[in-house]
Structures are given as structure tokens and as C-alpha cells.
């Protein structure tokens, strides 16, 4: 479970957190009353064993016939899987499972040409993911990579394509039905950025050998905890604290994490919060910091720049003790920490940073999570989803639409001459 610690924030919220927790309770009521996009809310407990079996069967085929799985998608259709993969796979070398690579999240010709060159001599499958089935970036990437797949495998190419999309609508659904791709459905009432625990996230993860059953079980435990009507609900506390700080002019939140493997979790979190809350000319701007690396790039701004920032420090339990050795010569002057575990040093850096930032006028709260496992990652995804919806409702915006995303598309289609 996530533990939310807001004790260091309290000096910044003079009225106390209680009025904000009342708002969180009212927001949670609104969330319970949501009908159009509430499918994700009980998704963990509604995920059937049959669905997990179907995903695992497709994953087993991918694992047996592919060196590489190309996942094509943008926004909510890839960030969750990418975040979980970076959290759960080794950071160096291969673990023997197929490599999972991503496309369809940009329109770069260079990226596409290097991708095609990379895939040319590899056995690969494609998981193309688009809820609407009409998004330009993944559509272009799929057209390009499917033509390579057909060139390599001829009529057998279609059996290497897994399409995750709407049950009935969209160009991808039409293509999948016509070509006979294996398909997985994104339920109508689950929005893109809330879809990581559907086949959108689960198929790439299963193909990488990650236990999706554990992940769903972790999220299911979160369902009991984060939907609980209680002022000590960690998701309510996080949502309430964010909005209390926003009301004090703290308009930017940095999610700061202490392990490089959290970088894409930060990207997923930014999409979830940015698209859910940034509308009607309000909303906390979500940014992320990889610490300690970014203390050497953003640290100066955090400490002394404009005081419009608050910080959420995400810390996972250490897993791999590495002790700093003693060195007789001590030429690097590090013997003062010889014998200490690196995680102890990392944790001390966190405490020192939190104190420095707080003293400098940047309120810091803490989210502590257990060791990173498929279950704890599932739980964390679910925590952030609930807290995001509650926070958006407190601020008065509807969390489940993204009308602003259409503006660039309209211009681009007009300029490209789309009929
Ligand atoms: O949260 C959302 O709905 C969006 O960010 C989508 O995930 C993103 O635009 C991709 O859309 P689609 O899956 O329809 O291709």
C-alpha cells in the first residue's frame, strides 16, 4: 500500500488539512456517481480469470515466436506499459524475455527509419493499441511496420499482430476484423489514461514475462484501500494536500523519485494528471524529477526559483544492498561513508533534500511504497488513478475528458489536407 505522509506540509496549510479532506470526501461521492467513464474504478475486481488467460496465451505465443515485441500506441495507450516495464525489468542486459520496444508516440521519420532497420533481421510481433482506433501517430507507425511484417512473413504476418482497441468502432477495429488479427478490447467506460490495467498494459507486460495476475491482485488490494470512505485514506490525503497547496499558489507539482527506473512512471503520471486536471484555465502543472540526477540540473531552481512549486517525493523500499567499500588510501575522501549501504546514502539524500526544499519554501510530501513488484506497481497505478480523479473533482473539473487535445489535431489535419 502507498503511505501518504503530509506532516511536513502542515506549516504551509494554516487552515489544516481537514477542510480539504471534507472536499475529498465530496469529490469521492462524485466519483462514485460517475457513469460514463467509471469502468476503471472496479476494473481490478472485475478482471476475469478468462481475460487473464487469453492475454497470457497471446503472450506465450509472442514469447515463443518473437525476439522483439513492437508496441505501437501514444499517451494512455503506451505509457503505463512502458512505466511498468522499466520498473520491473532489469536495467541492464536481457532477462531472456522478448525485448519490448515502442513506436507510434511520435512522428519522427528518423525514429521510424532506425526502427525499421532494427527490426529488419529480427523475428517480431506487433501489439498495436488505440482506443479510438483513429489516432494519427500509431496509425502511421502501424502502416509502416506492418508493411515490413508482411514483407518478412507474407500471409503469416497477420498472426503476429495483436490489436487492442474498441469493441466495435474505429479504423483499427475495421482493419483487425478484416485481416483477422487477434484482438483485445478496451472497455468503452475506461478512458485511455486510466487503461493501464486493461489489455492495453497487460499484454505487453505478460509478453515480457511479468505476472499480470499479481499486478491485478495488487490493484485489487488498492481498490479496498483507496476507495475507503475515511479521512486516513492515503489517496484522499494526497488529493486533498495537492489542492490545498494549489489554493496557496503552488501551481506546479514535481513528482520526485529516487531510482532511475521510475522515469516512465513519471511520464505516465504526468499524462494522467495533466490531461485530467488541466482544463478550464486551471490545474496543477505536473512535472517530474529524477533524483539525485536532477539536483544537479533543477536543484538550483527548486531551492531558490519562483515559489510556485510543491514536491511529492516517491520512495520505494530498497531491494539490493550495495555496501561502499573501505579504501586504505582514501584518495576520493569517501571513507566517511565506507561500510554504509548505498540505499542509506540515497535515503539520507532524500531527507536532506526534503528539509532543504521545505526550508526554501517548497512544501514536500512523501509517498512511501513497498519494494517494487508487479503487485506493488499495480497498487501504485490504482492509487494514482483514484487520487487523480478525486483531486480533479475537488478542483471542479471533469477528470475524464481531454477536449484540449483535439485542437492541434484539427490544425494538423487541415494543413495535411485530410478530407
Ligand atoms: O487519455 C487519453 O484518452 C489519451 O491520452 C489517449 O490515451 C491518447 O490520445 C491515445 O488515444 P488512442 O488510444 O485513442 O489512440
Amino acid at each position: 500500500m502507498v503511505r501518504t505522509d503530509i506532516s511536513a506540509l502542515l506549516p504551509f496549510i494554516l487552515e489544516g488539512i481537514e477542510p480539504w479532506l471534507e472536499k475529498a470526501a465530496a469529490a469521492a461521492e462524485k466519483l462514485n456517481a460517475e457513469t460514463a467513464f467509471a469502468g476503471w474504478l472496479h476494473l481490478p475486481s472485475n478482471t476475469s480469470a478468462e481475460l487473464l488467460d487469453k492475454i497470457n496465451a497471446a503472450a506465450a505465443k509472442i514469447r515463443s515466436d518473437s525476439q522483439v515485441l513492437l508496441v505501437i500506441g501514444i499517451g494512455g495507450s503506451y505509457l503505463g506499459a512502458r512505466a511498468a516495464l522499466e520498473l520491473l525489468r532489469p536495467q541492464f542486459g536481457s532477462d531472456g524475455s522478448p525485448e519490448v520496444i515502442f513506436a507510434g508516440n511520435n512522428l519522427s521519420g528518423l525514429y521510424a527509419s532506425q526502427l525499421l532497420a532494427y527490426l529488419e533481421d529480427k523475428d517480431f510481433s506487433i501489439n498495436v493499441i488505440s482506443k479510438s482506433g483513429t489516432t494519427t501517430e500509431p496509425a502511421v507507425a502501424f502502416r509502416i511496420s506492418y508493411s515490413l511484417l508482411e514483407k518478412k512473413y507474407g500471409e503469416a504476418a497477420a498472426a503476429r499482430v495483436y490489436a487492442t482497441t474498441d469493441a466495435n468502432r474505429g479504423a483499427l477495429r475495421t482493419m483487425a476484423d478484416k485481416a483477422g488479427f487477434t484482438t483485445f478490447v478496451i472497455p468503452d467506460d475506461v478512458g485511455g489514461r486510466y487503461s493501464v490495467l486493461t489489455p492495453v498494459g497487460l499484454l505487453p507486460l505478460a509478453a515480457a514475462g511479468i505476472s499480470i495476475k499479481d499486478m491485478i491482485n495488487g490493484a485489487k488490494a488498492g481498490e479496498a484501500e483507496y476507495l475507503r470512505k475515511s479521512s486516513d485514506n492515503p489517496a484522499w490525503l494526497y488529493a486533498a494536500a495537492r489542492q490545498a497547496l494549489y489554493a496557496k499558489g503552488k501551481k506546479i507539482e514535481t513528482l520526485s523519485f529516487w531510482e532511475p527506473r521510475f522515469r516512465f512512471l513519471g511520464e505516465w503520471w504526468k499524462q494522467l494528471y495533466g490531461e485530467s486536471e488541466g482544463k478550464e484555465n486551471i490545474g496543477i502543472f505536473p512535472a517530474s524529477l529524477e533524483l539525485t540526477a536532477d539536483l544537479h540540473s533543477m536543484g538550483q531552481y527548486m531551492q531558490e526559483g519562483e515559489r510556485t512549486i510543491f514536491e511529492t517525493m516517491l520512495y520505494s523500499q530498497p531491494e539490493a544492498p550495495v555496501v561502499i567499500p573501505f579504501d586504505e588510501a582514501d584518495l576520493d575522501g569517501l571513507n566517511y561513508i565506507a561500510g554504509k549501504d548505498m540505499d542509506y546514502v540515497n535515503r539520507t539524500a532524500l531527507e536532506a533534500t526534503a528539509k532543504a526544499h521545505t526550508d526554501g519554501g517548497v512544501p514536500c510530501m512523501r509517498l512511501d511504497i513497498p519494494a517494487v513488484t508487479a503487485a506493488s506497481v499495480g497498487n501504485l497505478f490504482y492509487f494514482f488513478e483514484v487520487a487523480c480523479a478525486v483531486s480533479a473533482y475537488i478542483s471542479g473539473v471533469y477528470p475524464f475528458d481531454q477536449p484540449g487535445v483535439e485542437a492541434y489535431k484539427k490544425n494538423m489535419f487541415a494543413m495535411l489536407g485530410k478530407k
Side-chain angles (χ1 to χ4, degrees):
M1 294 299 165
V2 179
R3 207 175 68 84
T4 306
D5 180 353
I6 62 160
S7 50
L9 291 183
L10 295 175
F12 294 88
I13 309 173
L14 293 179
E15 72 276 26
I17 196 68
E18 290 73 21
W20 294 96
L21 282 168
E22 281 168 27
K23 289 177 199 280
E29 287 302 323
K30 283 195 183 152
L31 177 57
N32 281 333
E34 167 66 21
T35 49
F37 287 105
W40 61 274
L41 205 55
H42 297 288
L43 193 66
S45 55
N46 287 338
T47 300
S48 66
E50 291 72 36
L51 176 61
L52 295 183
D53 287 348
K54 183 179 170 196
I55 295 171
N56 280 325
K61 177 168 180 304
I62 295 167
R63 290 168 68 76
S64 73
D65 67 10
S66 309
Q67 295 164 280
V68 177
L69 173 65
L70 174 63
V71 175
I72 296 179
I74 194 164
S77 288
Y78 93 105
L79 285 166
R82 188 155 185 183
L85 283 169
E86 296 218 351
L87 282 165
L88 293 164
R89 294 191 103 175
Q91 293 172 92
F92 302 100
S94 161
D95 58 4
S97 293
E99 185 185 7
V100 180
I101 60 175
F102 294 88
N105 51 58
N106 62 64
L107 288 167
S108 159
L110 179 66
Y111 189 93
S113 75
Q114 292 183 355
L115 174 78
L116 293 177
Y118 183 70
L119 289 173
E120 184 83 48
D121 62 353
K122 309 255 180 336
D123 275 319
F124 72 101
S125 297
I126 300 176
N127 180 199
V128 53
I129 308 171
S130 176
K131 176 152 198 258
S132 61
T134 55
T135 308
T136 310
E137 291 89 338
V140 170
F142 182 59
R143 183 180 280 208
I144 290 168
S145 49
Y146 189 54
S147 78
L148 174 63
L149 201 71
E150 281 186 305
K151 200 172 104 196
K152 277 176 79 99
Y153 301 103
E155 283 187 356
R160 288 178 169 269
V161 178
Y162 303 82
T164 308
T165 189
D166 187 88
N168 306 301
R169 286 184 303 266
L172 181 56
R173 167 54 61 186
T174 311
M175 283 166 73
D177 289 346
K178 194 152 182 263
F181 303 152
T182 301
T183 59
F184 290 91
V185 170
I186 311 172
D188 262 354
D189 56 359
V190 179
R193 58 190 172 276
Y194 294 82
S195 68
V196 58
L197 298 170
T198 71
V200 169
L202 297 180
L203 178 58
L205 295 174
I210 289 162
S211 168
I212 55 174
K213 189 169 174 225
D214 286 359
M215 182 164 281
I216 291 293
N217 282 340
K220 211 190 276 182
E223 212 177 303
E225 175 71 356
Y226 310 132
L227 297 183
R228 204 164 40 87
K229 292 184 184 171
S230 164
S231 57
D232 65 359
N233 176 329
W236 287 17
L237 262 179
Y238 176 50
R242 298 177 80 247
Q243 291 300 330
L245 293 167
Y246 184 65
K248 308 273 170 310
K250 304 293 183 190
K251 296 188 181 303
I252 300 166
E253 176 181 13
T254 64
L255 184 70
S256 305
F257 40 85
W258 295 81
E259 297 268 352
R261 62 182 171 163
F262 277 87
R263 185 179 298 162
F264 262 87
L265 192 274
E267 298 303 316
W268 172 84
W269 172 87
K270 284 194 288 196
Q271 191 223 354
L272 178 63
Y273 281 74
E275 277 194 356
S276 298
E277 293 194 308
K279 44 195 76 150
E280 299 176 30
N281 297 328
I282 62 163
I284 298 165
F285 183 84
S288 59
L289 292 181
E290 180 191 327
L291 302 181
T292 57
D294 286 340
L295 291 176
H296 299 260
S297 59
M298 297 301 291
Q300 171 60 34
Y301 192 102
M302 293 297 289
Q303 196 63 45
E304 294 182 349
E306 201 180 344
R307 303 297 70 190
T308 46
I309 304 175
F310 69 95
E311 188 167 23
T312 299
M313 293 212 176
L314 180 63
Y315 187 80
S316 60
Q317 283 308 305
E319 286 160 61
V322 173
V323 172
I324 298 166
F326 178 79
D327 180 64
E328 197 67 55
D330 196 26
L331 294 179
D332 53 13
L334 279 183
N335 272 354
Y336 76 103
I337 46 172
K340 301 273 193 250
D341 183 340
M342 276 189 74
D343 283 313
Y344 165 78
V345 181
N346 202 21
R347 178 76 178 201
T348 308
L350 178 152
E351 274 153 23
T353 306
K355 182 168 174 356
H357 289 177
T358 304
D359 292 349
V362 174
C364 288
M365 69 177 129
R366 285 262 299 279
L367 300 178
D368 284 301
I369 61 169
V372 170
T373 61
S376 69
V377 171
N379 188 281
L380 184 63
F381 279 140
Y382 190 78
F383 166 84
F384 276 131
E385 288 176 350
V386 173
C388 179
V390 170
S391 175
Y393 276 128
I394 297 176
S395 76
V397 300
Y398 181 64
F400 305 117
D401 60 2
Q402 56 284 330
V405 179
E406 294 311 310
Y408 96 93
K409 292 186 194 167
K410 247 189 240 162
N411 291 346
M412 182 176 74
F413 292 148
M415 290 172 187
L416 289 172
K418 184 177 179 180
K419 299 256 175 351

